[in-house]
Amino acid sequence: MTQSSEEIGERIVELLPRLRRFARSLSRNQHDADDLVQSGIERAWRHLEQFKPDANLASWMFGILKNAWLDNLRSRRRRGEVALPEDSGEHPAISPVDGNTELWSVSEAMSKLPEEQRLAVALVLVEGLSYKEAAEVLEIPMGTLTSRLARGRTALAAALEGGNPS
Amino acid sequence: MKYDDETLMAYVDGEVDAKLRADIDAAIARDPVLASRVERQRAVRGKVSGAFAKVLEQPLPDELMRAARGGATSGSPANRGNVLQFPARPSRAPSPPWRGREWAAMAASLILGAVISWRLFATGEGAPIVPGKASLVAHGALAHALDIQLASEQRGGEAISIGLTFKTKDGNYCRSFELRASRTVGLACRVGSEWQVAATDAKEPAAGQMQQASSAISPAILRAIESRVDGAALDADAERDAKERGFEPNH
């Protein structure tokens, strides 16, 4: 089976808005998110021979972005930079002054979740993947996905409502 | 009928079957407390998905458009030719009349086993897996890593990395692992004072995984986990607790 590189390129262009949204939900601002998308896409092109033509390109790209994000966090940790999840970007979070208070508050709450829960929340709640698709992207069993998702959600609910999880 | 939060989340996510959906619909109509719990789950989902929705409408940066079309890196496959050839499936020889397929499958599994054991025993990792009394057991650096290493504290450069840790239905702990140099992933379960190796598999480099592997797992190991796991994998805190108890089963 052959597929021209132009076709693949156009399919990735079509996915860009979703890739940016997924990356934004893992990062504290759009600048860091776009850096993540950029490095993910470059990896995808380098490893294109591993993409099976009948596989889902969006899932494949989400998986690559997930790996790039985790590798990024780990190399920051290795360099001895503070390992707190909320410090995972080089640029400070945008302030709520720029108009989008809701994006800011949800993004701050997400940044406090453990990495594994953030990924589950990002794929299911932000990207709308099914549990099965999300478990495949994260390479974890379904039961693990649902429990990470539940814990992440309960913590988010508490943070966003300013109360305690019920 | 009582529904836990996880069930209500699945309901809100459209992940329950028709029967359960109808049951919950009916229960909500009778029970205002349940209705408000569902509403709360729906609100969280709505808030999170709504917050990021605007990103979809933003103009796309030119740099990303270029990268998407394969133009960001000069050596990328995109620039090497106009048409990308996906690797062709190996052509299958016609089956000989005498049950050739079984022979082929057997030969393939022998070869795979040989490749894995060659990788395990012929690398500098000092025979991480050795025959024990009842099965293969982890040895040396691998046994040590299984004893003390926490997935949550790995930095990505470890020779041996730990993936998921979970409890089996018998109350024993199992951990998935990866031996970086031999590109082998596996699953070991704590039985008595040993880590019995329940499964190993060759790890194909996954897309986007460079030097640092992001998950010590393969589809075969995932299946081995799914057939044993009781509930879900441990989170970072539970993993630490289990380690502090020496991965002793607690029934």
Side-chain angles (χ1 to χ4, degrees):
Chain A
M1 176 159 181
T2 61
Q3 191 156 17
S4 81
S5 56
E6 271 130 56
E7 278 165 21
I8 295 268
E10 289 315 308
R11 287 174 65 196
I12 297 176
V13 169
E14 276 169 34
L15 285 173
L16 269 181
R18 289 188 69 196
L19 298 178
R20 292 183 80 225
R21 178 174 65 176
F22 176 56
R24 178 65 185 85
S25 67
L26 298 176
S27 313
R28 286 186 96 196
N29 57 58
Q30 194 62 51
H31 185 285
D32 290 344
D34 284 345
D35 282 353
L36 175 60
V37 174
Q38 173 105 22
S39 63
I41 291 173
E42 287 169 11
R43 281 181 187 210
W45 276 108
R46 281 198 301 274
H47 297 278
L48 199 60
E49 75 287 350
Q50 291 168 17
F51 176 67
K52 296 178 190 76
D54 51 351
N56 182 326
L57 186 65
S59 293
W60 190 65
M61 292 295 305
F62 286 140
I64 292 176
L65 252 59
K66 177 238 356 174
N67 289 337
W69 182 67
L70 287 176
D71 287 348
N72 208 355
L73 289 182
R74 280 168 198 171
S75 67
R76 288 173 64 83
R77 220 170 277 165
R78 219 174 9 250
R79 290 200 305 268
E81 294 173 34
V82 184
L84 294 176
E86 56 261 47
D87 191 51
S88 54
E90 285 172 9
H91 299 266
I94 47 163
S95 73
V97 187
D98 79 347
N100 198 342
T101 322
E102 187 156 17
L103 176 57
W104 184 82
S105 63
V106 173
S107 179
E108 285 300 288
M110 289 271 289
S111 73
K112 294 187 172 61
L113 296 181
E115 293 153 26
E116 55 191 33
Q117 295 177 21
R118 239 193 297 180
L119 285 165
V121 168
L123 287 172
V124 175
L125 298 193
V126 178
E127 285 309 318
L129 265 59
S130 71
Y131 290 178
K132 184 167 178 288
E133 290 167 330
E136 280 166 11
V137 169
L138 298 179
E139 300 167 283
I140 54 177
M142 280 273 276
T144 301
L145 183 269
T146 53
S147 93
R148 288 177 180 180
L149 183 63
R151 274 175 289 149
R153 232 163 168 166
T154 304
L156 275 181
L160 295 172
E161 291 164 3
N164 295 314
S166 58
Chain B
M1 181 70 193
K2 286 249 182 189
Y3 298 105
D4 62 15
D5 281 343
E6 213 163 308
T7 306
L8 297 184
M9 289 176 192
Y11 169 80
V12 164
D13 294 340
E15 295 273 351
V16 295
D17 60 29
K19 163 88 174 77
L20 183 54
R21 166 159 297 274
D23 290 348
I24 296 176
D25 283 341
I28 288 171
R30 294 191 301 268
D31 180 354
V33 176
L34 181 65
S36 78
R37 285 173 62 211
V38 168
E39 211 31 65
R40 186 164 180 264
Q41 291 304 337
R42 201 164 267 144
V44 175
R45 186 179 168 114
K47 203 160 193 174
V48 174
S49 70
F52 295 100
K54 286 201 180 72
V55 177
L56 294 179
E57 295 153 23
Q58 291 169 1
L60 298 171
D62 290 342
E63 280 170 316
L64 291 186
M65 298 280 279
R66 268 197 301 279
R69 296 194 164 110
T73 46
S74 53
S76 73
N79 299 338
R80 273 195 248 120
N82 216 14
V83 171
L84 257 169
Q85 202 75 34
F86 285 104
R89 287 174 206 282
S91 59
R92 198 178 291 153
S95 309
W98 41 279
R99 294 156 63 92
R101 238 176 245 157
E102 285 85 337
W103 279 107
M106 193 175 131
S109 71
L110 282 175
I111 290 167
L112 181 63
V115 166
I116 289 175
S117 43
W118 175 81
R119 282 182 182 173
L120 289 180
F121 295 105
T123 62
E125 286 163 350
I129 299 174
V130 297
K133 287 189 199 87
S135 71
L136 292 175
V137 296
H139 178 254
L142 174 59
H144 185 64
L146 289 165
D147 280 340
I148 63 144
Q149 209 161 299
L150 294 174
S152 54
E153 288 175 1
Q154 287 169 166
R155 294 170 166 219
E158 290 84 0
I160 297 172
S161 57
I162 301 295
L164 297 170
T165 300
F166 62 91
K167 269 174 82 171
T168 65
K169 293 164 184 102
D170 309 329
N172 293 319
Y173 287 99
C174 298
R175 313 188 82 192
S176 70
F177 61 85
E178 176 178 356
L179 303 166
R180 175 180 307 275
S182 53
R183 284 189 285 117
T184 300
V185 287
L187 180 68
C189 297
R190 182 80 178 189
V191 179
S193 59
E194 290 178 337
W195 286 102
Q196 294 189 350
V197 177
T200 57
D201 192 15
K203 182 183 169 67
E204 299 308 325
Q209 290 180 350
M210 319 276 287
Q211 303 87 346
Q212 303 129 25
S214 295
S215 59
I217 216 147
S218 76
I221 298 302
L222 195 54
R223 283 193 297 276
I225 293 173
E226 279 176 331
S227 68
R228 289 173 175 79
V229 66
D230 181 25
L234 304 187
D235 62 14
D237 291 338
E239 185 194 29
R240 180 170 293 109
D241 289 347
K243 176 202 145 186
E244 278 163 12
R245 288 198 309 272
F247 295 101
E248 292 290 327
N250 50 342
H251 298 284

